[in-house]
């Protein structure tokens, strides 16, 4: 079979890219070893984070680093045995998180985030997925006045520079908005622009159906079989060998395997994360996507139940699950909201695909014609899939991308 483009990886980034290529008249085959949206894009907190202009940095202060070193926190956990292999990534991540560099990165990252809602809106409408979306933002709640005031000051700075919108919440605002939250938080921030997704996997399934309605096809196959064929590319699939002029690697946390085979040594890392769904006790209702900021876990009222998601686990991508953060977070969550029993047979785990400068890699492969990269979206892949897909498809088809994507170029890592 011969097509115009192969997109490898059917998470939010791959599906969105496939749609935008197909819309531009390319005949596209989307390939994954699993059904679309079954990996990292399946289990996230479901937020389209318009407020997320400043990507999550690595702590700089020695005191905080020492607290993390104790390895007993909810928001971060590490496998000691994984540290040697992660050290190069972590050192570069720490370096890029220095206040000055972090601010420069936020400015370079902002165009992606600023367009995140608009680009999702386009695909949500086209795929008739409105029923999966809520448009009422999300909130962070604080246990101490010091943290509340520091975060409000930061929010005010971001509001001026990046036009994000928020409301400061008092303790009584929180009590009114969430009558079933039992802990008395001193206040909070409600980011008002973001949208939330009631079932991220269902959203990707809707995007996949839309892609197919445009004439695109999904086929199972293994990206490891990708090879050059004449001036293009070919890959083995369940339907035999498929050749195309262009191949896009949208392999999320597995991108390192495929890119290394072709001679590109990106300094990638992963931050693993877990989720579990819970019933609620009695008639308790959680109205808002809520982050318990000083403990570092999220409660999201999704279709499957209350989804509790955890922060970062620094471990090898393929090491067995160690959901200690989930256990710790659940114990705290039970003290703030009447969650009931666990609804999943075991915790879900995914791996956020990370780069040390906190920005994704989007663009043409430096040394191969017809090869394109779209991965490394870290904490914001659900948010940024459609923006990435559009910008990359525009680049691939000779248009000028609607945002400047030079800051996300693969070349910045000197590969
Ligand atoms: C706990 C948690 C909470 C999060 N919350 C949010 C949030 O609220 N908002 C947000 O924007 N982001 C969030 N994220 C991040 C977000 O989920 C990811 O950034 C995003 O899903 C990455 O999408 P992707 O398409 O790059 O990767 P993936 O969804 O992992 O897709 C990659 C695909 O490649 C396929 N693949 C890999 N290897 C091969 C191979 N050899 N052959 C064929 N196919 C292959 C996989 O099967 C997979 O389907 C969260 C992440 C976690 C873990």
């Amino acid at each position: 079979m011969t097509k115009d483009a192969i997109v490898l990886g059917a998470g939010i980034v791959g599906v969105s890219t496939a749609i935008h290529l197909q819309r531009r008249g390319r005949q596209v085959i989307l390939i994954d070893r699993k059904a679309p949206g079954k990996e990292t894009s399946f289990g996230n907190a479901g937020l389209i984070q318009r407020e997320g202009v400043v990507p999550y940095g690595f702590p700089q202060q020695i005191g905080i680093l020492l607290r993390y070193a104790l390895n007993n926190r909810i928001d971060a956990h590490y496998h000691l045995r994984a540290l040697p292999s992660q050290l190069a990534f972590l050192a570069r991540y720490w370096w890029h998180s220095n206040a000055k560099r972090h601010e420069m990165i936020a400015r370079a990252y902002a165009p992606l985030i600023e367009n995140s809602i608009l680009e999702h809106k386009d695909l949500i409408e086209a795929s008739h997925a409105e029923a999966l979306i809520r448009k009422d933002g999300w909130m962070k709640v604080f246990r101490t006045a010091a943290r509340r005031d520091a975060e409000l000051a930061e929010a005010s700075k971001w509001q001026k520079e990046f036009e994000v919108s928020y409301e400061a919440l008092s303790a009584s605002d929180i009590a009114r908005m969430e009558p079933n939250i039992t802990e008395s938080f001193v206040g909070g921030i409600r980011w008002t622009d973001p949208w939330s997704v009631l079932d991220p996997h269902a959203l990707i399934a809707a995007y996949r159906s839309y892609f197919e309605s445009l004439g695109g096809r999904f086929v199972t196959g293994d990206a490891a079989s990708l090879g050059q064929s004449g001036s293009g590319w070919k890959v083995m699939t369940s339907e035999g060998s498929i050749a195309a002029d262009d191949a896009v690697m949208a392999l999320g946390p597995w991108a390192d395997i495929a890119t290394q085979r072709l001679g590109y040594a990106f300094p990638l890392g992963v931050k693993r994360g877990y989720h579990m769904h819970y019933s609620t006790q009695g008639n308790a209702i959680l109205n808002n996507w809520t982050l318990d900021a000083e403990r570092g876990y999220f409660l999201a009222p999704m279709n499957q139940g209350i989804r509790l998601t955890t922060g970062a686990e620094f471990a090898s991508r393929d090491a067995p699950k160690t959901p200690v953060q989930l256990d710790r977070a659940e114990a705290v969550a039970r003290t703030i909201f009447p969650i009931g029993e666990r609804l999943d047979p075991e915790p879900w785990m995914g791996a956020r695909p990370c780069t040390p400068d906190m920005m994704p890699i989007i663009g043409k492969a430096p040394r191969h014609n017809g090869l394109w990269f779209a991965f490394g979206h870290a904490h914001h892949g659900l948010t940024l899939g459609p923006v990435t897909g559009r910008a990359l498809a525009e680049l691939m088809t000779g248009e000028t991308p609607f945002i400047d994507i030079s800051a996300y170029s693969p070349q910045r890592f000197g590969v």
Side-chain angles (χ1 to χ4, degrees):
M1 203 190 307
T2 304
K3 292 281 174 182
D4 297 325
I6 293 164
V7 176
L8 296 162
I12 184 66
V13 176
V15 173
S16 303
T17 307
I19 289 173
H20 279 286
L21 284 169
Q22 192 74 32
R23 274 183 172 181
R24 284 165 177 75
R26 298 292 164 104
Q27 288 303 307
V28 181
I29 290 273
L30 175 64
I31 294 170
D32 200 300
R33 56 189 172 194
K34 294 188 170 175
K38 284 287 191 184
E39 291 285 2
T40 332
S41 302
F42 178 91
N44 47 68
L47 285 171
I48 303 173
Q49 287 190 258
R50 169 62 185 88
E51 91 299 340
V53 278
V54 182
Y56 296 99
F58 197 85
Q60 299 288 289
Q61 302 85 344
I62 292 291
I64 297 182
L65 288 172
L66 288 175
R67 286 209 290 281
Y68 280 109
L70 296 175
N71 215 11
N72 58 6
R73 298 175 61 97
I74 294 174
D75 58 344
H77 179 246
Y78 62 90
H79 288 184
L80 197 54
R81 63 189 169 282
L83 285 186
S85 63
Q86 305 246 322
L87 216 54
F89 164 74
L90 291 175
R92 290 174 76 159
Y93 180 22
W94 176 81
W95 186 77
H96 282 290
S97 304
N98 157 278
K100 224 175 177 156
R101 291 197 63 78
H102 202 174
E103 263 189 53
M104 279 163 49
I105 286 169
R107 281 184 201 115
Y109 190 60
L112 284 174
I113 290 284
E114 282 165 2
N115 287 285
S116 57
I117 298 277
L118 279 177
E119 292 307 312
H120 261 290
K121 180 172 184 286
D122 172 13
L123 300 194
I124 288 162
E125 287 171 3
S127 57
H128 308 294
E130 287 88 348
L132 293 170
I133 305 300
R134 282 192 28 193
K135 302 182 179 174
D136 43 12
W138 64 275
M139 70 174 188
K140 259 181 180 185
V141 290
F142 303 110
R143 292 161 182 268
T144 62
R147 177 74 179 260
R148 178 199 61 199
D149 296 345
E151 296 233 8
L152 279 169
E154 204 152 284
S156 157
K157 192 172 143 197
W158 297 354
Q159 183 183 43
K160 287 185 196 100
E161 181 154 5
F162 300 114
E163 293 177 15
V164 293
S165 310
Y166 71 95
E167 290 168 3
L169 301 176
S170 65
S172 55
D173 290 333
I174 296 170
R176 182 178 41 78
M177 290 163 69
E178 295 293 353
N180 294 117
I181 283 192
T182 46
E183 174 75 35
S184 22
F185 291 99
V186 299
I189 293 178
R190 188 170 83 83
W191 300 105
T192 53
D193 303 314
W195 289 4
S196 44
V197 183
L198 290 159
D199 180 345
H201 177 240
L203 184 69
I204 289 155
Y207 286 3
R208 174 228 176 132
S209 299
Y210 170 55
F211 164 66
E212 289 173 336
S213 77
L214 296 172
R217 289 202 51 220
F218 171 78
V219 173
T220 51
D222 188 349
S225 64
L226 183 76
Q228 285 180 285
S229 159
S231 60
W233 297 89
K234 68 172 188 311
V235 66
M236 272 310 287
T237 71
S238 56
E239 299 192 4
S241 176
I242 297 179
D245 294 336
D246 288 300
V248 178
M249 286 191 180
L251 295 165
W254 294 275
D256 58 338
I257 302 173
T259 50
Q260 267 166 26
R261 279 186 47 246
L262 294 168
Y264 298 99
F266 289 105
L268 302 176
V270 295
K271 292 186 200 170
R272 306 196 316 177
Y274 298 84
H275 86 220
M276 173 57 67
H277 293 105
Y278 298 86
S279 62
T280 53
Q281 294 177 34
N283 297 324
I285 291 178
L286 182 70
N287 294 309
N288 291 276
W289 266 246
T290 303
L291 174 68
D292 185 351
E294 281 134 304
R295 296 293 181 270
Y297 66 91
F298 230 102
L299 291 178
M302 292 206 176
N303 282 350
Q304 296 100 318
I306 306 281
R307 180 179 286 188
L308 188 162
T309 62
T310 64
E313 183 177 57
F314 295 93
S316 302
R317 179 192 52 224
D318 303 322
K321 294 177 187 177
T322 49
V324 292
Q325 288 161 285
L326 183 71
D327 295 339
R328 292 174 191 153
E330 178 184 318
V332 179
R334 288 192 183 284
T335 67
I336 74 159
F337 182 85
I339 52 173
E341 63 194 26
R342 289 185 169 201
L343 298 177
D344 305 321
E346 60 174 289
W348 173 88
M349 186 188 78
R352 301 172 184 91
C354 299
T355 64
D357 66 4
M358 297 162 268
M359 293 192 291
I361 293 167
I362 306 170
K364 186 181 172 311
R367 292 188 300 282
H368 292 86
N369 281 336
L371 183 65
W372 308 85
F373 295 149
F375 49 81
H377 292 74
H379 291 258
H380 290 147
L382 182 71
T383 303
L384 300 180
V387 186
T388 302
R390 176 172 166 195
L392 185 62
E394 287 171 342
L395 186 69
M396 289 174 65
T397 54
E399 294 171 45
T400 304
F402 76 116
I403 53 169
D404 178 7
I405 57 170
S406 53
Y408 325 126
S409 142
Q411 273 92 342
R412 72 188 192 273
F413 291 114
V415 291

